[in-house]
Amino acid sequence: MTGAKTAVEWLASVAPDPEACRWEWERNPLGVALLPAGRAWDVLILPGRLGHRTLDVLTRILDRPGPVLVDFGDARMGFFVPPGTACRWIGTGIRTAGAGVWIVVPYPGRSIGKVRWLVPPDGSGTLTDPTLLELAMHEAAAGLATQEEG
């Protein structure tokens, strides 16, 4: 299977009706699905500026981070992390999506519309380690603070 096809299977596996989810994506090239967090992944949602800097840091230390979504003019970025992370996250200024929360997810490999993938899922189930994400956020925040002072 191609990367996009396996990514579709991986994402759709958490849907209440995986077949309906796949059908919606295939029927509408710009379509999105509403999927439950907390099953195969949680999502940590960072403000766009911090999120972009954090992704820059992560890509310097990892070959490939887990999936990352961006929405609404890059105002927010969602990093896919292991399930259970959201209920344990204590950092301030970061929104979480875990068990009981649904998120809008576009078809993997498509980057059109209000919600798009910056790092699409590859179908392997790779997620960003929350400890590495937190360290990357600290480095990114320090860089932003230094930039604002200068």
Side-chain angles (χ1 to χ4, degrees):
M1 286 210 269
T2 66
K5 185 72 170 170
T6 57
V8 166
E9 296 303 318
W10 179 69
L11 287 168
S13 72
V14 303
D17 184 346
E19 188 59 38
C21 177
R22 287 188 295 273
W23 184 82
E24 179 60 31
W25 275 331
E26 291 165 6
R27 183 178 66 92
N28 182 356
L30 302 179
V32 295
L34 195 57
L35 296 177
R39 292 184 182 173
W41 33 260
D42 284 356
V43 182
L44 296 181
I45 304 162
L46 283 61
R49 199 160 163 237
L50 176 61
H52 279 285
R53 278 289 186 102
T54 299
L55 183 58
D56 288 344
V57 172
L58 279 175
T59 55
R60 286 196 318 259
I61 59 176
L62 295 173
D63 286 336
R64 179 177 166 77
V68 180
L69 283 173
V70 66
D71 71 350
F72 304 110
D74 290 3
R76 292 180 295 237
M77 290 178 63
F79 291 80
F80 281 49
V81 294
T85 301
C87 67
R88 294 186 306 269
W89 193 261
I90 56 172
T92 58
I94 307 302
R95 294 178 48 205
T96 63
V101 178
W102 294 70
I103 66 165
V104 173
V105 179
Y107 183 91
R110 293 188 190 140
S111 294
I112 301 169
K114 298 264 184 192
V115 179
R116 65 189 193 287
W117 293 104
L118 282 182
V119 178
D122 62 7
S124 70
T126 298
L127 300 168
T128 298
D129 179 283
T131 303
L132 285 177
L133 181 59
E134 184 176 14
L135 292 170
M137 284 190 303
H138 286 292
E139 184 176 326
L144 288 170
T146 300
Q147 185 181 41
E148 288 173 3
E149 290 174 3

